[in-house]
Amino acid sequence: MRSTLLLGTLALGLSACTVSVQSNLGVAGSTDSGLISALNPDRGEGSSYYVGEAVRFYLTTRTSGYVTLLSLDPNGNSNVLIRGASVGAGTTVFPRPQDGAVFNVAPPRGVQRVRAIFTRVRPSADLYLSGQYSSGSWNATIQQRLGGYAVADRDVRETFFYIR
């Protein structure tokens, strides 16, 4: 899932992938800790959005902590959507009013991947991945940067949608 971040309003250039939101298998940094129980776009995983439409994400966590949302667009551009947001246990809808953002879908068209990285402690700036990545290098970079966090104190969940 890939997106482009615009300041003020966040524009997502999203594309799809086949990673299941119900399983963290193969997702970099994922653990069996189960700290994140769900991550879905508001229309559901694998749904379609047209350029210009707004998208929200429902994130459910089992405990309080901090969440960083990253996107990866079809062209390999990774952007930070939310940085180290404090969340309580339960479901949080992003963007929140206090985030001062709107996520509007923007080109490129295709599969947009979005990952939630959850940590029980405030994340360091190195979890804020922006730049150009292949799917493999994005995974490896996230995995490497999560190495400083105890396995029981971190979790990663991914979802996707299509940009039409």
Side-chain angles (χ1 to χ4, degrees), residues 12 39-41 55-59 92-94 103 114 159 161:
L12 300 176
L39 173 64
N40 292 297
V55 61
R56 296 180 303 163
F57 297 96
Y58 292 85
L59 174 73
T92 304
V93 180
F94 289 101
F103 297 155
V114 175
T159 191
F161 62 93

Side-chain angles (χ1 to χ4, degrees), residues 3 7 9 31 37-38 52 56 62 64 68-69 85 96 98 101-103 107-108 112 118 126 130 142 152 154-155 160:
S3 69
L7 299 178
T9 64
T31 67
S37 58
R56 296 180 303 163
R62 291 190 166 89
S64 59
T68 296
L69 292 179
R96 304 172 301 181
Q98 65 263 38
V102 173
F103 297 155
Q112 177 68 46
F118 179 91
D126 64 349
S130 292
I142 290 171
R154 68 176 195 230
D155 202 359
F160 72 95

Side-chain angles (χ1 to χ4, degrees), residues 28-29 126-127 138-149 154:
D126 64 349
L127 283 185
W138 199 50
N139 290 341
T141 302
I142 290 171
Q143 183 66 40
Q144 175 189 20
R145 293 189 182 176
L146 282 172
Y149 299 87
R154 68 176 195 230

Side-chain angles (χ1 to χ4, degrees), residues 19-24 37-41 45 157-160:
V19 176
S20 171
V21 79
Q22 296 177 354
S23 171
N24 277 325
S37 58
L39 173 64
N40 292 297
E45 184 173 68
R157 185 64 63 119
E158 182 173 292
T159 191
F160 72 95

Side-chain angles (χ1 to χ4, degrees), residues 4-5 26 33 53 65 72 74 78 87 106 109 121 130:
T4 301
L5 172 67
S33 63
E53 289 186 311
L72 188 65
S78 178
V87 297
R109 289 175 167 83
V121 297
S130 292

Side-chain angles (χ1 to χ4, degrees), residues 72-100:
L72 188 65
D73 74 19
N75 290 343
N77 296 309
S78 178
N79 292 285
V80 178
L81 304 177
I82 298 292
R83 296 176 186 265
S86 178
V87 297
T91 300
T92 304
V93 180
F94 289 101
R96 304 172 301 181
Q98 65 263 38
D99 296 327

